[in-house]
Amino acid sequence: MRRVRIEDIAEEAGLSKATVDRVVHKRGHVRAETASKVAEAAHRLGYYGANLIDQQLAIKLTRVRLGFVLIKEKQEFYQNFKNELEAAAIAREDVRATPLVRFVSSQSPSDMAEAMLAIGEHTDAIACTAVNHHAVTAATETLRQRGKPVFALLNDFASGAREHYIGLDNLKAGKIAGWMISTAAQGPGKVALFMGSNRWVGHELRETGFRSQFRQSGTDLALLDSVINLETRQLTYETTLALLERYPDLAGICVAGGGMEGAIAALREMREPGEVALVVNEITTVSRAALSDGYATMVISTPLAALCRETIELMVRSVINGQTQQLGQRFLEPQIYLPPSV
């Protein structure tokens, strides 16, 4: 008789080949009832590995509920972030990880704290992007006391209460940006640095690294006072236009946080490609196009897939083994994109 194939089981069970493959080869999690359909079909067809499927069904994996609170739901980067978090959680084979992602409509510390406490009611561990504020710290401490460890993503907060920070070394990222601007800018001239707000520790660290690198470079460029853009594209756009008009010799711009779309749009209106060196964060459709067109000099991007895998690993470990008393940081190497790489 012809050997039973995955395609045969899929047809018999009324499921896709991909789903059957996940069950047979343990490539991910599927619902228990779906796995049972695969096992039944395998037995009916006399599949040689049917008993192995039965053994897999008999293994009861620990269920881990993982909560994530993100911001800026409409932005491409955070949608990619959400997708990578869910994929990394579902891919775990040692536990049955259930991801729950919620977006906060504002960057208000009170709104974030409220969302953290709310999602903590339904999950075993929480990870979020939040500003460093006493309201967020209080929520983190409350969750920790309830046995719900909290992890800081992209921006560090609640030091001493959160479990781990996972993201880029923002001081290093600032130095990279400073080096690029001082190298690529057509000086002498002025350089502008945009920050979201002083509540974003990561932005302050990037500013520190940026200014430190400038001092070391010995460049004849003049670094202007940092500009707060609240990470909004409209404010960044309007401020960039104003800077370009006020300083005809503006030679470089670094956007340390969000809002890069506004800076790119303003440069497209007021300058020729490459006339102003521009360093922004995160590779998206907009930043990729700016690199391709010569309006962006460098993009410093977070390796989302690696960050999400590391986050899920630490969260699962904290749930199974308990919270650690050695709170730490996990730095990932940034992904650097230059015009020739897109």
Side-chain angles (χ1 to χ4, degrees):
M1 293 180 61
R2 181 174 63 86
R3 187 172 184 176
V4 177
R5 302 171 302 170
I6 296 294
E7 294 89 335
D8 301 323
I9 300 174
E11 183 177 357
E12 178 71 18
L15 299 169
S16 69
K17 178 183 174 182
T19 299
V20 174
D21 181 75
R22 290 174 66 188
V23 174
V24 173
H25 296 113
K26 299 186 291 184
R27 300 186 192 278
H29 299 308
V30 298
R31 293 187 303 172
E33 53 268 35
T34 301
S36 295
K37 286 183 179 180
V38 173
E40 292 168 2
H43 279 291
R44 286 196 298 270
L45 295 174
Y47 179 60
Y48 74 96
N51 291 331
L52 292 177
I53 298 176
D54 290 340
Q55 292 176 19
Q56 293 176 35
L57 291 175
I59 299 174
K60 293 184 178 180
L61 298 177
T62 301
R63 184 187 179 195
V64 179
R65 302 170 301 168
L66 306 177
F68 305 94
V69 184
L70 305 178
I71 58 176
K72 300 183 178 181
E73 183 175 8
K74 294 182 180 180
Q75 287 197 2
E76 179 183 346
F77 171 75
Y78 280 99
Q79 281 298 319
N80 293 340
F81 200 174
K82 170 182 178 292
N83 294 337
E84 290 289 354
L85 284 169
E86 292 176 336
I90 294 173
R92 297 289 298 214
E93 297 185 355
D94 55 334
V95 296
R96 190 171 295 280
T98 303
L100 179 62
V101 182
R102 293 287 182 267
F103 284 94
V104 178
S105 59
S106 76
Q107 296 183 34
S108 163
S110 58
D111 289 347
M112 175 59 69
E114 182 180 347
M116 291 167 63
L117 293 172
I119 204 169
E121 295 292 330
H122 309 286
T123 54
D124 304 307
I126 300 95
C128 50
T129 54
V131 296
N132 191 41
H133 187 272
H134 63 81
V136 176
T137 299
T140 302
E141 291 173 342
T142 298
L143 288 164
R144 184 174 180 83
Q145 291 168 4
R146 296 175 181 173
K148 309 291 180 75
V150 177
F151 295 80
L153 304 178
L154 304 182
N155 180 73
D156 204 356
F157 61 82
S159 180
R162 56 103 175 115
E163 191 80 355
H164 278 84
Y165 161 73
I166 308 127
L168 299 183
D169 180 341
N170 286 298
L171 185 67
K172 179 179 178 179
K175 289 184 176 182
I176 292 172
W179 178 87
M180 188 73 261
I181 293 289
S182 62
T183 301
Q186 302 175 11
K190 308 292 191 302
V191 173
L193 173 64
F194 285 92
M195 298 170 54
S197 80
N198 292 324
R199 289 175 174 172
W200 290 104
V201 174
H203 295 184
E204 288 192 326
L205 288 172
R206 291 195 183 208
E207 179 192 30
T208 299
F210 192 90
R211 292 184 178 278
S212 173
Q213 184 62 41
F214 250 75
R215 286 194 297 270
Q216 296 175 25
S217 66
T219 179
D220 54 0
L221 295 167
L223 185 55
L224 301 172
D225 290 338
S226 299
V227 181
I228 300 297
N229 68 347
L230 303 179
E231 294 199 290
T232 63
R233 63 183 65 192
Q234 185 62 30
L235 181 55
T236 308
Y237 169 73
E238 294 171 357
T239 306
T240 303
L241 288 179
L243 288 170
L244 291 168
E245 291 177 354
R246 183 176 180 181
Y247 302 107
D249 63 340
L250 189 68
I253 298 174
C254 174
V255 183
M260 65 174 174
E261 299 88 351
I264 293 169
L267 287 176
R268 288 185 183 278
E269 289 184 21
M270 301 287 288
R271 293 290 190 271
E272 294 298 319
E275 197 172 327
V276 177
L278 174 67
V279 174
V280 297
N281 292 296
E282 309 307 349
I283 193 71
T284 65
T285 303
V286 173
S287 60
R288 190 181 294 274
L291 282 172
S292 178
D293 297 342
Y295 281 99
T297 309
M298 172 190 282
V299 176
I300 302 173
S301 191
T302 304
L304 280 181
L307 181 145
C308 293
R309 288 193 300 269
E310 181 71 9
T311 299
I312 300 300
E313 169 64 27
L314 290 171
M315 293 177 78
V316 168
R317 193 184 304 171
S318 71
V319 173
I320 295 176
N321 300 331
Q323 300 179 86
T324 178
Q325 298 303 313
Q326 297 180 341
L327 312 182
Q329 297 176 314
R330 295 297 180 93
F331 292 142
L332 291 93
E333 287 298 315
Q335 294 175 326
I336 303 299
Y337 291 86
L338 300 170
S341 65
V342 298

